[in-house]
Amino acid sequence: MSGHNVWTHKGTFLLAAVGSAVGLGNLWRFPYLAGENGGGAFILVYALTIFAVGIPILIAETMLGRTSRQSPIMGMRHLTKTHKTSRVWESIGWLGAVSAFLILSFYSVIAGWALHYTWLMLTGELVGADAQTIGDGFNALLASPGLMTLYHTLFIAASALIVAMGIHKGIESGLRIMMPALFAILIVVLIYGVINGDVGAAAGFLFTFNLGDLSLEGWLQAMGQSFFTLSLGMGAIMAYGAYMSSEASLTRTAIAVAFVDTAVAMVAGLAIFSIVFGAGLETSQGPGLMFVTLPLAFADMPFGALVGGVFFILVLGAAISSSISLIEPVAAFLVERFDMTRPQAVTIMVVAAWAMGLLTVVSFNIWAEGTIFHTLFGRSAFDFIELLTNIFMPLGGLMIALFAGWALTQSEVMKELGTNKTWFMVWRFLVRFVGPAAVSFVFLRTIPYVEGYVIPTLGALIIVGAFALSQRMRKPT
Ligand code: PHE
Protein backbone atom coordinates (compact mmCIF):
# COMPACT_ATOMS: atom_id res chain seq x y z
CA MET A 1 0.00 0.00 0.00
CA SER A 2 1.30 3.43 -0.73
CA GLY A 3 -1.16 5.46 1.29
CA HIS A 4 1.55 6.68 3.60
CA ASN A 5 2.91 9.41 1.36
CA VAL A 6 2.17 12.87 2.75
CA TRP A 7 3.26 16.33 1.61
CA THR A 8 6.18 17.77 3.55
CA HIS A 9 4.24 20.66 5.07
CA LYS A 10 0.77 21.33 6.32
CA GLY A 11 0.36 24.00 3.66
CA THR A 12 1.76 22.07 0.70
CA PHE A 13 -1.63 20.80 -0.40
CA LEU A 14 -2.74 24.40 -0.78
CA LEU A 15 0.28 25.13 -2.96
CA ALA A 16 -0.31 22.02 -5.06
CA ALA A 17 -4.03 22.63 -5.45
CA VAL A 18 -3.43 26.23 -6.46
CA GLY A 19 -0.83 25.00 -8.93
CA SER A 20 -3.40 22.64 -10.40
CA ALA A 21 -6.21 25.17 -10.44
CA VAL A 22 -4.28 28.08 -11.91
CA GLY A 23 -3.54 27.25 -15.52
CA LEU A 24 -4.59 27.76 -19.10
CA GLY A 25 -8.11 27.93 -17.71
CA ASN A 26 -7.30 31.22 -15.98
CA LEU A 27 -4.93 32.81 -18.46
CA TRP A 28 -6.26 31.62 -21.79
CA ARG A 29 -9.80 30.27 -21.48
CA PHE A 30 -11.28 32.63 -18.91
CA PRO A 31 -10.30 35.89 -20.66
CA TYR A 32 -11.53 34.76 -24.06
CA LEU A 33 -14.79 33.38 -22.71
CA ALA A 34 -15.39 36.58 -20.75
CA GLY A 35 -14.46 38.55 -23.87
CA GLU A 36 -16.91 36.64 -26.01
CA ASN A 37 -19.69 36.80 -23.46
CA GLY A 38 -19.73 40.47 -22.66
CA GLY A 39 -17.45 40.63 -19.60
CA GLY A 40 -19.08 41.50 -16.27
CA ALA A 41 -22.22 39.40 -16.43
CA PHE A 42 -20.17 36.36 -17.34
CA ILE A 43 -17.90 36.97 -14.38
CA LEU A 44 -20.81 37.33 -11.99
CA VAL A 45 -22.20 33.91 -12.90
CA TYR A 46 -18.72 32.42 -12.88
CA ALA A 47 -17.96 33.76 -9.39
CA LEU A 48 -21.34 32.73 -7.99
CA THR A 49 -20.87 29.18 -9.27
CA ILE A 50 -17.38 29.02 -7.81
CA PHE A 51 -18.65 29.95 -4.40
CA ALA A 52 -21.97 28.10 -4.22
CA VAL A 53 -21.01 24.96 -6.14
CA GLY A 54 -17.27 24.88 -6.75
CA ILE A 55 -16.08 25.29 -3.17
CA PRO A 56 -18.41 22.66 -1.66
CA ILE A 57 -17.42 20.13 -4.32
CA LEU A 58 -13.77 21.06 -3.93
CA ILE A 59 -14.11 20.31 -0.21
CA ALA A 60 -15.82 17.01 -1.03
CA GLU A 61 -13.22 15.92 -3.57
CA THR A 62 -10.30 16.80 -1.30
CA MET A 63 -11.98 14.94 1.52
CA LEU A 64 -12.39 11.79 -0.58
CA GLY A 65 -8.68 11.85 -1.31
CA ARG A 66 -7.63 12.52 2.26
CA THR A 67 -9.85 9.91 3.92
CA SER A 68 -8.86 7.21 1.48
CA ARG A 69 -5.19 8.21 1.23
CA GLN A 70 -4.96 6.48 -2.14
CA SER A 71 -5.19 7.30 -5.82
CA PRO A 72 -8.73 8.13 -6.98
CA ILE A 73 -9.51 4.70 -8.42
CA MET A 74 -8.17 2.68 -5.49
CA GLY A 75 -9.39 5.30 -3.04
CA MET A 76 -12.97 5.13 -4.25
CA ARG A 77 -12.85 1.35 -4.08
CA HIS A 78 -11.65 1.64 -0.50
CA LEU A 79 -14.37 4.13 0.47
CA THR A 80 -17.20 2.10 -1.03
CA LYS A 81 -16.03 -0.77 1.16
CA THR A 82 -15.50 1.09 4.42
CA HIS A 83 -18.74 3.01 4.07
CA LYS A 84 -20.61 -0.03 2.73
CA THR A 85 -22.04 1.74 -0.28
CA SER A 86 -22.66 0.50 -3.78
CA ARG A 87 -19.59 -0.23 -5.88
CA VAL A 88 -21.05 1.89 -8.65
CA TRP A 89 -19.41 4.87 -6.96
CA GLU A 90 -16.03 3.47 -7.95
CA SER A 91 -16.80 4.91 -11.34
CA ILE A 92 -15.92 8.33 -9.88
CA GLY A 93 -12.29 7.21 -9.84
CA TRP A 94 -12.40 5.77 -13.35
CA LEU A 95 -14.21 8.76 -14.74
CA GLY A 96 -11.57 11.01 -13.20
CA ALA A 97 -8.73 8.97 -14.65
CA VAL A 98 -10.21 8.95 -18.14
CA SER A 99 -10.95 12.69 -18.02
CA ALA A 100 -7.47 13.49 -16.74
CA PHE A 101 -6.01 11.50 -19.62
CA LEU A 102 -8.20 13.23 -22.21
CA ILE A 103 -7.60 16.72 -20.85
CA LEU A 104 -3.85 16.19 -20.65
CA SER A 105 -3.85 15.16 -24.31
CA PHE A 106 -5.13 18.49 -25.61
CA TYR A 107 -3.90 20.67 -22.75
CA SER A 108 -0.34 19.84 -23.71
CA VAL A 109 -0.90 20.77 -27.36
CA ILE A 110 -2.27 24.19 -26.44
CA ALA A 111 0.47 24.77 -23.89
CA GLY A 112 2.80 23.95 -26.77
CA TRP A 113 1.51 27.00 -28.62
CA ALA A 114 2.64 29.09 -25.66
CA LEU A 115 6.09 27.58 -26.08
CA HIS A 116 6.11 28.78 -29.68
CA TYR A 117 5.05 32.28 -28.64
CA THR A 118 7.60 32.48 -25.86
CA TRP A 119 10.20 31.91 -28.53
CA LEU A 120 8.69 34.37 -31.02
CA MET A 121 8.45 37.08 -28.38
CA LEU A 122 11.87 36.72 -26.84
CA THR A 123 13.61 36.65 -30.21
CA GLY A 124 11.82 39.89 -31.06
CA GLU A 125 10.41 38.40 -34.21
CA LEU A 126 7.03 40.05 -33.78
CA VAL A 127 8.23 43.56 -32.94
CA GLY A 128 6.27 46.04 -35.03
CA ALA A 129 4.40 43.31 -36.91
CA ASP A 130 0.92 44.14 -38.22
CA ALA A 131 -2.35 42.27 -37.74
CA GLN A 132 -2.04 40.42 -41.01
CA THR A 133 1.45 39.10 -40.24
CA ILE A 134 0.53 38.00 -36.72
CA GLY A 135 -2.71 36.37 -37.82
CA ASP A 136 -0.92 34.55 -40.61
CA GLY A 137 1.75 33.44 -38.17
CA PHE A 138 -0.79 31.79 -35.90
CA ASN A 139 -2.46 30.09 -38.85
CA ALA A 140 0.91 28.85 -40.05
CA LEU A 141 1.55 27.29 -36.65
CA LEU A 142 -1.84 25.55 -36.75
CA ALA A 143 -1.14 24.35 -40.28
CA SER A 144 2.07 22.63 -39.25
CA PRO A 145 1.57 19.23 -37.61
CA GLY A 146 5.32 18.80 -37.27
CA LEU A 147 5.88 22.01 -35.34
CA MET A 148 2.87 21.45 -33.11
CA THR A 149 3.97 17.89 -32.38
CA LEU A 150 7.42 19.11 -31.47
CA TYR A 151 6.09 21.62 -28.92
CA HIS A 152 3.53 19.15 -27.61
CA THR A 153 6.31 16.61 -27.08
CA LEU A 154 8.56 19.07 -25.28
CA PHE A 155 5.80 20.23 -22.97
CA ILE A 156 4.48 16.81 -22.02
CA ALA A 157 8.00 15.46 -21.52
CA ALA A 158 8.83 18.28 -19.12
CA SER A 159 5.64 17.58 -17.17
CA ALA A 160 6.45 13.88 -17.08
CA LEU A 161 9.93 14.53 -15.75
CA ILE A 162 8.58 16.46 -12.78
CA VAL A 163 6.02 13.82 -11.83
CA ALA A 164 8.48 10.98 -12.33
CA MET A 165 10.76 12.55 -9.75
CA GLY A 166 8.14 11.92 -7.09
CA ILE A 167 5.75 14.02 -5.06
CA HIS A 168 8.49 15.54 -2.89
CA LYS A 169 11.54 16.00 -5.12
CA GLY A 170 9.49 16.54 -8.26
CA ILE A 171 6.06 18.04 -7.69
CA GLU A 172 6.64 19.82 -4.38
CA SER A 173 10.03 21.28 -5.19
CA GLY A 174 8.90 22.24 -8.66
CA LEU A 175 5.88 24.09 -7.36
CA ARG A 176 7.83 25.76 -4.61
CA ILE A 177 10.02 27.44 -7.22
CA MET A 178 7.41 27.96 -9.91
CA MET A 179 4.44 29.35 -8.07
CA PRO A 180 6.06 32.41 -6.43
CA ALA A 181 7.72 33.21 -9.75
CA LEU A 182 4.38 33.01 -11.51
CA PHE A 183 2.73 35.41 -9.09
CA ALA A 184 5.61 37.83 -9.46
CA ILE A 185 5.34 37.73 -13.27
CA LEU A 186 1.59 38.21 -13.12
CA ILE A 187 2.05 41.36 -11.05
CA VAL A 188 4.72 42.67 -13.44
CA VAL A 189 2.41 42.11 -16.42
CA LEU A 190 -0.44 43.84 -14.59
CA ILE A 191 1.72 46.86 -13.78
CA TYR A 192 2.87 46.93 -17.38
CA GLY A 193 -0.74 46.81 -18.54
CA VAL A 194 -1.72 49.63 -16.20
CA ILE A 195 1.14 51.84 -17.43
CA ASN A 196 0.92 51.11 -21.15
CA GLY A 197 -2.66 50.02 -21.57
CA ASP A 198 -6.14 51.17 -20.71
CA VAL A 199 -6.92 49.74 -17.31
CA GLY A 200 -10.06 51.86 -16.95
CA ALA A 201 -11.62 50.32 -20.03
CA ALA A 202 -10.56 46.85 -18.89
CA ALA A 203 -12.09 47.31 -15.44
CA GLY A 204 -15.26 48.73 -16.94
CA PHE A 205 -15.53 45.77 -19.26
CA LEU A 206 -14.88 43.15 -16.58
CA PHE A 207 -16.79 44.59 -13.66
CA THR A 208 -19.90 46.17 -15.09
CA PHE A 209 -22.62 43.64 -14.47
CA ASN A 210 -25.59 43.52 -16.72
CA LEU A 211 -27.13 40.10 -16.54
CA GLY A 212 -29.23 40.91 -19.57
CA ASP A 213 -26.03 40.75 -21.63
CA LEU A 214 -25.63 37.09 -20.94
CA SER A 215 -27.14 34.46 -23.20
CA LEU A 216 -28.17 31.10 -21.82
CA GLU A 217 -25.16 29.68 -23.58
CA GLY A 218 -23.03 32.23 -21.73
CA TRP A 219 -24.50 31.19 -18.38
CA LEU A 220 -23.68 27.58 -19.04
CA GLN A 221 -20.20 28.35 -20.27
CA ALA A 222 -19.53 30.38 -17.14
CA MET A 223 -20.58 27.47 -14.96
CA GLY A 224 -18.59 24.95 -16.98
CA GLN A 225 -15.57 27.20 -16.78
CA SER A 226 -15.81 27.38 -12.99
CA PHE A 227 -15.46 23.59 -12.83
CA PHE A 228 -12.58 23.48 -15.24
CA THR A 229 -10.67 26.23 -13.51
CA LEU A 230 -10.95 24.56 -10.09
CA SER A 231 -9.73 21.24 -11.57
CA LEU A 232 -12.86 19.52 -10.28
CA GLY A 233 -14.02 16.01 -11.06
CA MET A 234 -10.79 14.93 -12.71
CA GLY A 235 -9.13 13.07 -9.89
CA ALA A 236 -6.40 15.71 -9.74
CA ILE A 237 -7.63 17.25 -6.52
CA MET A 238 -8.43 13.84 -5.06
CA ALA A 239 -4.94 12.55 -5.86
CA TYR A 240 -3.32 15.59 -4.24
CA GLY A 241 -5.78 15.35 -1.33
CA ALA A 242 -4.47 11.86 -0.61
CA TYR A 243 -1.18 13.45 0.45
CA MET A 244 -2.76 16.26 2.49
CA SER A 245 -1.82 16.66 6.12
CA SER A 246 -4.56 15.55 8.50
CA GLU A 247 -4.04 18.76 10.41
CA ALA A 248 -4.87 21.13 7.57
CA SER A 249 -8.43 22.43 7.45
CA LEU A 250 -10.40 21.17 4.47
CA THR A 251 -12.82 24.07 4.39
CA ARG A 252 -10.31 26.85 4.86
CA THR A 253 -7.97 25.32 2.30
CA ALA A 254 -10.69 24.93 -0.31
CA ILE A 255 -11.83 28.51 0.19
CA ALA A 256 -8.25 29.71 -0.16
CA VAL A 257 -7.73 27.72 -3.38
CA ALA A 258 -10.92 29.11 -4.91
CA PHE A 259 -10.05 32.61 -3.80
CA VAL A 260 -6.53 32.58 -5.25
CA ASP A 261 -7.71 30.93 -8.44
CA THR A 262 -10.42 33.54 -8.95
CA ALA A 263 -8.05 36.37 -8.10
CA VAL A 264 -5.53 35.14 -10.68
CA ALA A 265 -8.23 34.96 -13.36
CA MET A 266 -9.33 38.52 -12.53
CA VAL A 267 -5.82 39.94 -12.47
CA ALA A 268 -4.94 38.15 -15.70
CA GLY A 269 -8.15 39.40 -17.28
CA LEU A 270 -7.43 42.94 -16.13
CA ALA A 271 -3.87 42.83 -17.44
CA ILE A 272 -4.77 41.26 -20.77
CA PHE A 273 -7.74 43.52 -21.48
CA SER A 274 -5.79 46.64 -20.44
CA ILE A 275 -3.21 45.74 -23.06
CA VAL A 276 -5.83 44.79 -25.65
CA PHE A 277 -7.92 47.94 -25.11
CA GLY A 278 -4.78 50.06 -24.95
CA ALA A 279 -3.92 48.88 -28.45
CA GLY A 280 -7.48 49.56 -29.60
CA LEU A 281 -8.21 45.90 -30.36
CA GLU A 282 -11.32 43.70 -30.03
CA THR A 283 -12.05 41.44 -27.06
CA SER A 284 -14.09 38.87 -28.90
CA GLN A 285 -11.36 36.98 -30.72
CA GLY A 286 -12.17 33.66 -29.07
CA PRO A 287 -9.33 31.19 -28.52
CA GLY A 288 -7.04 33.46 -30.57
CA LEU A 289 -7.25 36.22 -27.95
CA MET A 290 -4.00 35.14 -26.33
CA PHE A 291 -2.20 34.03 -29.48
CA VAL A 292 -3.22 36.71 -31.95
CA THR A 293 -4.72 39.75 -30.24
CA LEU A 294 -2.27 39.89 -27.37
CA PRO A 295 0.92 39.46 -29.43
CA LEU A 296 -0.41 42.17 -31.73
CA ALA A 297 -0.87 44.50 -28.77
CA PHE A 298 2.63 43.72 -27.51
CA ALA A 299 4.10 44.30 -30.96
CA ASP A 300 3.66 48.04 -30.66
CA MET A 301 4.28 48.61 -26.98
CA PRO A 302 7.55 49.64 -25.35
CA PHE A 303 9.48 46.53 -24.24
CA GLY A 304 6.55 44.56 -25.68
CA ALA A 305 8.74 41.69 -26.85
CA LEU A 306 10.36 41.27 -23.45
CA VAL A 307 7.17 41.58 -21.42
CA GLY A 308 5.32 39.43 -23.93
CA GLY A 309 7.99 36.76 -23.64
CA VAL A 310 7.79 36.86 -19.86
CA PHE A 311 4.01 36.67 -20.11
CA PHE A 312 4.19 33.49 -22.18
CA ILE A 313 6.62 32.02 -19.66
CA LEU A 314 3.91 32.67 -17.09
CA VAL A 315 1.43 30.81 -19.27
CA LEU A 316 3.85 27.89 -19.63
CA GLY A 317 4.55 27.69 -15.91
CA ALA A 318 0.89 27.83 -15.01
CA ALA A 319 0.15 25.15 -17.60
CA ILE A 320 2.86 22.82 -16.36
CA SER A 321 1.79 23.14 -12.73
CA SER A 322 -1.64 21.99 -13.94
CA SER A 323 -0.54 19.26 -16.30
CA ILE A 324 1.45 17.53 -13.56
CA SER A 325 -1.78 17.28 -11.56
CA LEU A 326 -3.36 15.49 -14.50
CA ILE A 327 -0.56 12.92 -14.63
CA GLU A 328 -0.50 12.22 -10.90
CA PRO A 329 -3.89 10.48 -10.43
CA VAL A 330 -3.24 7.94 -13.20
CA ALA A 331 0.42 7.43 -12.35
CA ALA A 332 -0.37 6.91 -8.68
CA PHE A 333 -3.00 4.34 -9.64
CA LEU A 334 -0.57 2.37 -11.80
CA VAL A 335 1.96 2.36 -8.99
CA GLU A 336 -0.58 1.18 -6.42
CA ARG A 337 -2.38 -1.34 -8.53
CA PHE A 338 0.42 -2.88 -10.58
CA ASP A 339 3.37 -2.26 -8.34
CA MET A 340 5.16 -0.29 -11.03
CA THR A 341 7.92 2.13 -10.29
CA ARG A 342 6.88 5.75 -10.55
CA PRO A 343 8.92 6.43 -13.70
CA GLN A 344 7.33 3.41 -15.40
CA ALA A 345 3.84 4.51 -14.43
CA VAL A 346 4.43 8.09 -15.56
CA THR A 347 5.87 6.90 -18.85
CA ILE A 348 2.83 4.78 -19.64
CA MET A 349 0.38 7.57 -18.84
CA VAL A 350 2.32 10.23 -20.67
CA VAL A 351 3.12 8.24 -23.79
CA ALA A 352 -0.55 7.31 -24.12
CA ALA A 353 -1.70 10.92 -23.57
CA TRP A 354 0.97 12.11 -25.99
CA ALA A 355 -0.33 9.78 -28.70
CA MET A 356 -3.88 10.86 -28.00
CA GLY A 357 -2.69 14.47 -28.28
CA LEU A 358 -1.74 13.83 -31.90
CA LEU A 359 -5.46 13.74 -32.61
CA THR A 360 -5.67 17.32 -31.39
CA VAL A 361 -2.64 18.25 -33.46
CA VAL A 362 -4.13 16.96 -36.70
CA SER A 363 -7.52 18.51 -35.93
CA PHE A 364 -6.12 21.84 -37.05
CA ASN A 365 -4.59 20.64 -40.31
CA ILE A 366 -4.61 17.13 -41.78
CA TRP A 367 -8.00 16.32 -40.30
CA ALA A 368 -9.45 19.81 -40.31
CA GLU A 369 -12.82 20.73 -41.72
CA GLY A 370 -13.56 19.15 -45.07
CA THR A 371 -11.49 16.04 -44.46
CA ILE A 372 -12.66 12.52 -43.73
CA PHE A 373 -12.75 12.55 -39.94
CA HIS A 374 -14.56 15.84 -39.84
CA THR A 375 -17.12 14.73 -42.38
CA LEU A 376 -17.65 11.43 -40.62
CA PHE A 377 -18.17 12.80 -37.13
CA GLY A 378 -19.34 16.31 -37.88
CA ARG A 379 -16.57 17.84 -35.78
CA SER A 380 -12.83 17.70 -35.37
CA ALA A 381 -11.22 15.15 -33.09
CA PHE A 382 -10.20 17.99 -30.79
CA ASP A 383 -13.78 19.24 -30.53
CA PHE A 384 -14.86 15.70 -29.87
CA ILE A 385 -12.36 15.19 -27.05
CA GLU A 386 -13.24 18.55 -25.56
CA LEU A 387 -16.90 17.68 -25.75
CA LEU A 388 -16.27 14.41 -23.94
CA THR A 389 -14.42 16.17 -21.16
CA ASN A 390 -17.19 18.76 -20.99
CA ILE A 391 -19.55 15.89 -20.24
CA PHE A 392 -17.27 13.91 -17.94
CA MET A 393 -16.18 16.88 -15.88
CA PRO A 394 -19.62 17.90 -14.60
CA LEU A 395 -20.63 14.25 -14.37
CA GLY A 396 -17.64 13.60 -12.10
CA GLY A 397 -18.46 16.68 -10.04
CA LEU A 398 -22.08 15.62 -9.76
CA MET A 399 -21.19 12.13 -8.61
CA ILE A 400 -18.66 13.43 -6.10
CA ALA A 401 -21.30 15.75 -4.65
CA LEU A 402 -23.89 12.98 -4.44
CA PHE A 403 -21.45 10.45 -3.01
CA ALA A 404 -20.13 12.80 -0.35
CA GLY A 405 -23.53 14.24 0.47
CA TRP A 406 -25.72 11.16 0.41
CA ALA A 407 -23.77 7.90 0.32
CA LEU A 408 -21.01 8.38 2.88
CA THR A 409 -21.59 7.84 6.57
CA GLN A 410 -22.32 11.38 7.59
CA SER A 411 -20.94 11.18 11.13
CA GLU A 412 -17.56 10.30 9.66
CA VAL A 413 -17.79 13.01 7.07
CA MET A 414 -18.45 15.53 9.80
CA LYS A 415 -15.45 14.30 11.74
CA GLU A 416 -13.24 14.58 8.64
CA LEU A 417 -14.47 18.07 7.81
CA GLY A 418 -13.74 19.16 11.37
CA THR A 419 -16.18 22.08 11.30
CA ASN A 420 -19.03 22.82 13.65
CA LYS A 421 -22.52 21.50 13.09
CA THR A 422 -23.83 24.64 11.38
CA TRP A 423 -21.09 24.75 8.75
CA PHE A 424 -21.43 21.04 8.22
CA MET A 425 -25.15 21.48 7.54
CA VAL A 426 -24.48 24.36 5.14
CA TRP A 427 -21.90 22.31 3.26
CA ARG A 428 -24.15 19.27 3.16
CA PHE A 429 -27.09 21.25 1.86
CA LEU A 430 -24.89 22.63 -0.91
CA VAL A 431 -23.50 19.25 -2.01
CA ARG A 432 -26.82 17.46 -1.62
CA PHE A 433 -29.02 19.86 -3.51
CA VAL A 434 -27.47 23.02 -4.90
CA GLY A 435 -24.46 21.34 -6.52
CA PRO A 436 -26.36 18.53 -8.23
CA ALA A 437 -29.03 20.93 -9.47
CA ALA A 438 -26.49 23.38 -10.85
CA VAL A 439 -24.42 20.65 -12.46
CA SER A 440 -27.43 19.11 -14.15
CA PHE A 441 -28.04 22.54 -15.57
CA VAL A 442 -24.49 22.72 -16.93
CA PHE A 443 -25.10 19.38 -18.54
CA LEU A 444 -27.87 20.79 -20.61
CA ARG A 445 -25.26 22.97 -22.21
CA THR A 446 -23.81 20.06 -24.08
CA ILE A 447 -27.16 18.87 -25.36
CA PRO A 448 -27.68 21.29 -28.25
CA TYR A 449 -24.39 20.02 -29.64
CA VAL A 450 -25.23 16.39 -29.24
CA GLU A 451 -28.87 16.04 -30.07
CA GLY A 452 -28.36 12.33 -30.47
CA TYR A 453 -27.20 12.04 -26.87
CA VAL A 454 -30.12 13.75 -25.18
CA ILE A 455 -31.79 10.53 -24.15
CA PRO A 456 -28.67 8.80 -22.81
CA THR A 457 -27.65 11.95 -20.97
CA LEU A 458 -31.00 12.39 -19.28
CA GLY A 459 -31.14 8.66 -18.63
CA ALA A 460 -27.74 8.76 -16.97
CA LEU A 461 -28.87 11.69 -14.84
CA ILE A 462 -31.97 9.86 -13.69
CA ILE A 463 -30.02 6.72 -12.89
CA VAL A 464 -27.48 8.69 -10.91
CA GLY A 465 -30.25 10.53 -9.07
CA ALA A 466 -32.06 7.33 -8.24
CA PHE A 467 -28.82 5.87 -6.99
CA ALA A 468 -28.19 8.82 -4.78
CA LEU A 469 -31.54 8.30 -3.13
CA SER A 470 -31.13 4.57 -2.80
CA GLN A 471 -27.75 5.11 -1.19
CA ARG A 472 -29.08 7.40 1.51
CA MET A 473 -29.16 4.57 3.92
CA ARG A 474 -26.10 2.43 4.32
CA LYS A 475 -26.43 -0.94 2.73
CA PRO A 476 -27.82 -3.42 5.26
CA THR A 477 -25.16 -5.96 6.05
N1 PHE B 1 -7.65 23.99 -13.66
C1 PHE B 1 -6.75 23.91 -14.77
C2 PHE B 1 -6.76 25.25 -15.50
O1 PHE B 1 -7.50 26.13 -15.15
C3 PHE B 1 -7.08 22.82 -15.72
C4 PHE B 1 -7.20 21.49 -15.06
C5 PHE B 1 -8.39 20.85 -15.07
C6 PHE B 1 -6.13 20.94 -14.38
C7 PHE B 1 -8.53 19.66 -14.43
C8 PHE B 1 -6.25 19.73 -13.74
C9 PHE B 1 -7.47 19.09 -13.75
O2 PHE B 1 -6.04 25.42 -16.44
Side-chain angles (χ1 to χ4, degrees), residues 105-409:
S105 78
F106 71 77
Y107 204 82
S108 167
V109 175
I110 294 172
W113 299 349
L115 204 53
H116 181 67
Y117 277 86
T118 308
W119 175 254
L120 286 187
M121 285 287 171
L122 291 180
T123 53
E125 205 152 309
L126 297 181
V127 176
D130 59 8
Q132 183 73 35
T133 316
I134 290 182
D136 289 349
F138 186 53
N139 290 335
L141 171 66
L142 295 187
S144 165
L147 207 51
M148 277 216 279
T149 303
L150 172 70
Y151 293 128
H152 165 51
T153 310
L154 290 175
F155 180 84
I156 212 165
S159 312
L161 204 63
I162 296 177
V163 184
M165 282 161 68
I167 66 166
H168 299 295
K169 287 215 184 81
I171 299 179
E172 247 188 274
S173 318
L175 290 171
R176 203 158 286 140
I177 302 167
M178 264 190 298
M179 297 314 286
L182 296 186
F183 289 113
I185 295 179
L186 187 59
I187 298 304
V188 169
V189 176
L190 177 68
I191 294 173
Y192 178 84
V194 169
I195 295 174
N196 292 290
D198 188 345
V199 70
F205 177 69
L206 289 173
F207 305 122
T208 321
F209 308 117
N210 180 5
L211 273 184
D213 290 349
L214 202 58
S215 61
L216 179 66
E217 176 63 20
W219 263 84
L220 301 171
Q221 279 193 335
M223 296 177 74
Q225 170 62 9
S226 59
F227 277 93
F228 185 78
T229 192
L230 289 181
S231 303
L232 290 180
M234 245 87 58
I237 293 294
M238 216 187 293
Y240 278 178
Y243 313 132
M244 184 186 193
S245 151
S246 310
E247 273 130 58
S249 154
L250 282 174
T251 43
R252 245 174 284 151
T253 307
I255 291 170
V257 172
F259 184 80
V260 176
D261 183 68
T262 308
V264 169
M266 299 299 148
V267 171
L270 209 54
I272 290 173
F273 286 121
S274 296
I275 295 168
V276 168
F277 282 126
L281 299 169
E282 292 293 322
T283 60
S284 53
Q285 252 278 337
L289 180 69
M290 173 177 289
F291 299 106
V292 179
T293 314
L294 200 60
L296 182 57
F298 277 127
D300 271 333
M301 287 186 178
F303 305 106
L306 180 62
V307 179
V310 170
F311 172 82
F312 280 104
I313 291 176
L314 164 71
V315 175
L316 274 176
I320 218 168
S321 68
S322 298
S323 65
I324 57 179
S325 77
L326 290 163
I327 300 175
E328 181 61 26
V330 180
F333 165 69
L334 295 175
V335 169
E336 277 169 16
R337 178 70 181 75
F338 301 106
D339 246 342
M340 291 182 190
T341 66
R342 186 167 258 273
Q344 284 169 340
V346 170
T347 307
I348 291 181
M349 160 67 167
V350 165
V351 168
W354 175 84
M356 187 80 187
L358 297 181
L359 283 181
T360 293
V361 168
V362 296
S363 294
F364 294 94
N365 35 70
I366 307 173
W367 282 4
E369 220 163 317
T371 59
I372 271 284
F373 186 95
H374 213 284
T375 318
L376 234 52
F377 296 93
R379 53 168 61 76
S380 72
F382 169 54
D383 288 342
F384 194 74
I385 294 169
E386 229 213 335
L387 178 68
L388 275 185
T389 59
N390 278 340
I391 295 173
F392 290 171
M393 194 166 44
L395 187 62
L398 173 69
M399 291 187 63
I400 287 169
L402 293 174
F403 181 69
W406 295 100
L408 288 183
T409 321

